[in-house]
Amino acid sequence: MVLEATMICIDNSEWMRNGDYGPSRFQAQADAVNLICGAKTQSNPENTVGVLTMAGKGVRVLVTPTSDLGKILACMHGLEIGGEMNLAAGIQVAQLALKHRQNKKQQQRIIVFAGSPVKHEKKTLEMIGKKLKKNSVTLDIVNFGEDDEGKTEKLEALLAAVNNNDTSHIVHIPAGPNALSDILLSTPIFTGDGEGGSGFAASAAAAAAGGISGFEFGVDPNLDPELALALRVSMEEERARQEAAAKKAAEESSKQEKGGEEQDATMTERASEGASEADNKKNEFLALAMSMDEPASSQDLQDTEMSDAAAEDTELALALQLSVQDSAKDSSSQADMSKLLADQSFVSSILASLPGVDPNNPSVKEVLASMQSQSEPQQKQDEDKAPKEEDKK
Amino acid sequence: MDVIKTQQISPRPIEKVIVHPLVLLSIVDNYNRVAKDTRKRVIGVLLGTSFKGTVDVTNSYAVPFEEDEKDPSIWFLDHNYHESMFSMFKRINAKEHVVGWYSTGPKLRENDLDIHRLFHNYVPNPVLVIIDVQPKELGIPTKAYYDVEEVKEDITLVVKITPFSPANSSETLA
């Protein structure tokens, strides 16, 4: 909740017409500016924000530091793109504007959007940086857009000259599918202002970045229970769909190949089923299963296509394994499971290979026995089912 | 912005600028409090009325202004302050419009043209008055200027500030 007066320097040069960020670089920048203004004014009601443009006929101050968000947003309309950005002049005018802030207790901060090439010398920038440091002005640089030789270096040099106790930051944003403003949310520019950076920034970060806040699906069940529920339900449906697809693939693979591969594919599922007993052994099982897949794949011609299917199937198998762990009611895997479970020696050999599980452990033996008894009545049903499906295909 | 701009539909060329004593007093007073013995200058807005080519400057106020001493192209004028201040002045005297701006000079400086351009947003033909706050000799301590656009031979547009001829600027004492 730092009391701050901020000047945002916008780049409205010709380079901002480019569309590699968002709808256009300029639009992405405008969104980011709106976000920053909102965050600053929310984090402390006495914060003021001002905006100036650096390109065009010259540096022009659009709005002097004010806490009126409406004024700031209004002045962003009707901005024209053109000319070249004058970074040095922009920063200096911003500094002058901050000098005239009404509340002298406010911390001075300048946020610069550097999207076009920087034509100033490194020395000039360093001198400006030193002057800023002398006047205890902190600087945040958003480096995006054009990346010509030396631009990053110059900006880093500028930052080094200004930086005092790590209060100034630089952010490099490459072009990509994510919006400029979304990426900015997770940077120190937002999170750096005070503990937690205010509820606005935190909730916006949670919504945009999805999962940073740690909630499942990135939506707080307290804030929006219906949305969280809907997301969960759709996730379950997706899993069910994936498991059905995996089932089909597993069946197809079992239909086509000869013995060994089926064993491998189903052993993957088998092994993962066994892992449900010891969740933390899950990864080792998977590794084991995959290592079993590999030697098998070297066997015969059909194996090569099978191994591809199996390799893809490991993804499906993983999804399958997850769904199986959740529901534990997958009938087809149980059908295969029952076949293999019958082979108790095989299962115990697998369990023996696990570092932590002792096959002679009475509880493990108990579980195995129960699984086996469970599988026997199922086996008859499933054997009827399996030949039927093979007849169809 | 519209309220401020509707004062003159067709700008008539200005021939005479009359500066009233209240303006001189407030400018000198402001200068003495803020920038005396420094090389800084004070800039402010002139309010008044213009009628048939004569501008009557009746009121004024200073505005926050900063410029970099080494680099004249770096300057900052708080135009939000000016807009708020003017809207308040308008409430007490609706006839007073923005007619131009003043500087304590003592001479013209390089960025005066840029600042003059800024005032074109508020009045079609602004007037710049340089007030000499430390006059060495007797006489009128003011000098008025306006800007002129010229097309040079190589088809470039040049804007320059030219003074009113001394006979045309006068000062009245109440």
Side-chain angles (χ1 to χ4, degrees):
Chain A
M1 288 278 205
V2 181
L3 184 57
E4 241 179 13
T6 309
M7 274 306 285
I8 304 182
C9 303
I10 297 184
D11 182 1
N12 60 332
S13 61
E14 282 291 343
W15 280 267
M16 292 300 110
R17 285 191 206 273
N18 200 331
D20 54 357
Y21 291 80
S24 79
R25 284 182 186 171
F26 185 68
Q27 208 35 57
Q29 214 189 169
D31 291 338
V33 171
N34 290 343
L35 211 57
I36 295 179
C37 295
K40 294 281 179 193
T41 43
Q42 270 222 352
S43 80
N44 188 328
E46 285 187 49
N47 275 353
T48 56
V49 181
V51 176
L52 62 80
T53 54
M54 294 192 283
K57 275 204 228 146
V59 175
R60 193 162 73 100
V61 176
L62 297 173
V63 58
T64 51
T66 169
S67 49
D68 182 1
L69 193 58
K71 213 173 187 180
I72 302 168
L73 297 180
C75 84
M76 294 288 298
H77 285 289
L79 275 183
E80 284 174 8
I81 300 180
E84 267 186 24
M85 162 179 89
N86 188 346
L87 185 65
I91 297 181
Q92 285 173 312
V93 174
Q95 190 191 353
L96 291 180
L98 284 174
K99 218 167 165 187
H100 277 279
R101 63 197 187 286
Q102 271 185 302
N103 184 354
K104 300 293 175 190
K105 288 214 170 73
Q106 286 169 329
Q107 241 288 324
Q108 303 175 70
R109 179 176 288 274
I110 301 178
I111 301 181
V112 175
F113 282 85
S116 41
V118 175
K119 61 183 194 285
H120 302 279
E121 291 296 320
K122 202 157 145 193
K123 269 211 140 185
T124 327
L125 295 178
E126 279 178 359
M127 273 182 11
I128 295 177
K130 285 201 200 113
K131 207 161 75 154
L132 289 179
K133 190 166 170 181
K134 202 168 76 155
N135 291 317
S136 63
V137 179
T138 51
L139 179 68
D140 287 331
I141 309 176
V142 179
N143 180 9
F144 70 110
E146 293 296 318
D147 187 22
D148 68 344
E149 353 63 52
K151 180 185 178 194
T152 314
E153 258 182 60
K154 289 179 187 169
L155 294 178
E156 294 276 0
L158 173 61
L159 184 83
V162 179
N163 209 346
N164 180 14
N165 266 355
D166 212 15
T167 47
S168 302
H169 318 98
I170 183 169
V171 180
H172 305 277
I173 303 188
N178 299 329
L180 189 68
S181 30
D182 291 341
I183 303 182
L184 269 181
L185 278 167
S186 53
T187 61
I189 292 182
F190 264 99
T191 56
D193 31 308
E195 333 74 41
S198 87
F200 181 95
S203 63
I212 284 186
S213 61
F215 292 123
E216 188 186 22
F217 309 122
V219 174
D220 182 357
N222 295 330
L223 283 180
D224 202 343
E226 289 162 7
L227 181 59
L229 184 64
L231 284 171
R232 191 172 299 124
V233 166
S234 76
M235 188 67 151
E236 302 273 326
E237 282 175 19
E238 179 65 19
R239 281 191 196 157
R241 191 189 66 76
Q242 276 191 352
E243 119 201 359
K247 197 198 309 184
K248 204 162 174 210
E251 279 167 1
E252 273 182 38
S253 71
S254 68
K255 167 192 67 143
Q256 276 189 19
E257 57 42 62
K258 347 203 146 158
E261 280 304 324
E262 181 188 17
Q263 297 288 343
D264 280 345
T266 55
M267 259 195 302
T268 315
E269 298 160 19
R270 185 63 321 311
S272 53
E273 182 57 19
S276 65
E277 258 66 61
D279 272 327
N280 53 352
K281 307 287 190 276
K282 163 172 58 157
N283 293 330
E284 290 168 11
F285 263 130
L286 201 51
L288 184 64
M290 278 166 60
S291 65
M292 283 201 288
D293 263 343
E294 276 156 34
S297 71
S298 65
Q299 273 162 24
D300 56 10
L301 282 176
Q302 276 205 350
D303 285 353
T304 52
E305 47 181 313
M306 256 321 93
S307 67
D308 285 340
E312 287 160 19
D313 276 356
T314 50
E315 290 293 322
L316 290 171
L318 183 57
L320 184 58
Q321 153 203 331
L322 285 175
S323 66
V324 155
Q325 279 177 350
D326 277 323
S327 62
K329 282 259 159 35
D330 184 8
S331 62
S332 114
S333 74
Q334 276 192 353
D336 301 319
M337 164 180 39
S338 53
K339 282 186 211 152
L340 279 167
L341 253 185
D343 194 348
Q344 199 178 8
S345 60
F346 172 71
V347 175
S348 50
S349 76
I350 287 201
L351 288 178
S353 68
L354 288 177
V357 178
D358 182 6
N360 295 327
N361 192 337
S363 52
V364 174
K365 274 191 174 167
E366 219 177 57
V367 168
L368 274 177
S370 69
M371 281 201 334
Q372 203 176 11
S373 59
Q374 227 182 17
S375 69
E376 274 164 11
Q378 285 258 349
Q379 213 170 8
K380 284 188 202 146
Q381 262 186 349
D382 294 337
E383 275 173 1
D384 289 342
K385 220 164 81 172
K388 229 196 249 170
E389 286 182 277
E390 287 184 5
D391 281 350
K392 272 194 227 163
K393 293 176 189 166
Chain B
M1 278 283 263
D2 286 340
V3 174
I4 301 167
K5 269 191 168 170
T6 50
Q7 44 184 330
Q8 279 175 312
I9 300 161
S10 58
R12 171 139 165 208
I14 299 171
E15 286 140 26
K16 206 160 158 180
V17 177
I18 302 174
V19 179
H20 291 254
L22 173 63
V23 174
L24 294 176
L25 181 63
S26 67
I27 294 174
V28 168
D29 182 57
N30 191 11
Y31 175 82
N32 283 339
R33 287 179 209 282
V34 170
K36 195 165 187 186
D37 300 333
T38 66
R39 294 190 55 211
K40 283 186 175 196
R41 58 177 174 156
V42 175
I43 294 223
V45 174
L46 295 172
L47 305 175
T49 51
S50 73
F51 181 65
K52 285 194 177 155
T54 303
V55 175
D56 264 286
V57 181
T58 50
N59 212 337
S60 70
Y61 54 86
V63 293
F65 174 78
E66 279 293 329
E67 60 188 341
D68 189 86
E69 293 189 3
K70 293 172 199 119
D71 185 358
S73 64
I74 308 278
W75 56 270
F76 162 72
L77 195 149
D78 192 344
H79 59 90
N80 284 123
Y81 175 97
H82 153 58
E83 280 167 21
S84 328
M85 194 65 145
F86 178 59
S87 65
M88 287 195 286
F89 265 102
K90 203 146 180 67
R91 290 165 69 180
I92 38 165
N93 189 347
K95 276 200 243 166
E96 270 179 1
H97 313 287
V98 176
V99 294
W101 59 291
Y102 71 83
S103 155
T104 55
K107 300 258 182 329
L108 282 175
R109 296 201 195 181
E110 288 163 37
N111 45 17
D112 283 354
L113 199 51
D114 296 327
I115 303 172
H116 202 82
R117 205 178 292 138
L118 179 67
F119 277 91
H120 268 284
N121 293 337
Y122 303 106
V123 58
N125 46 354
V127 161
L128 159 61
V129 178
I130 301 261
I131 314 276
D132 188 5
V133 285
Q134 284 159 352
K136 304 286 184 303
E137 69 263 337
L138 284 174
I140 302 174
T142 65
K143 269 208 197 98
Y145 300 85
Y146 66 103
D147 68 341
V148 154
E149 284 181 1
E150 271 177 12
V151 183
K152 284 165 70 168
E153 298 91 32
D154 52 354
I155 329 280
T156 53
L157 191 62
V158 164
V159 184
K160 61 184 193 189
I161 293 193
T162 52
F164 290 97
S165 61
N168 282 343
S169 70
S170 65
E171 179 195 331
T172 62
L173 287 167

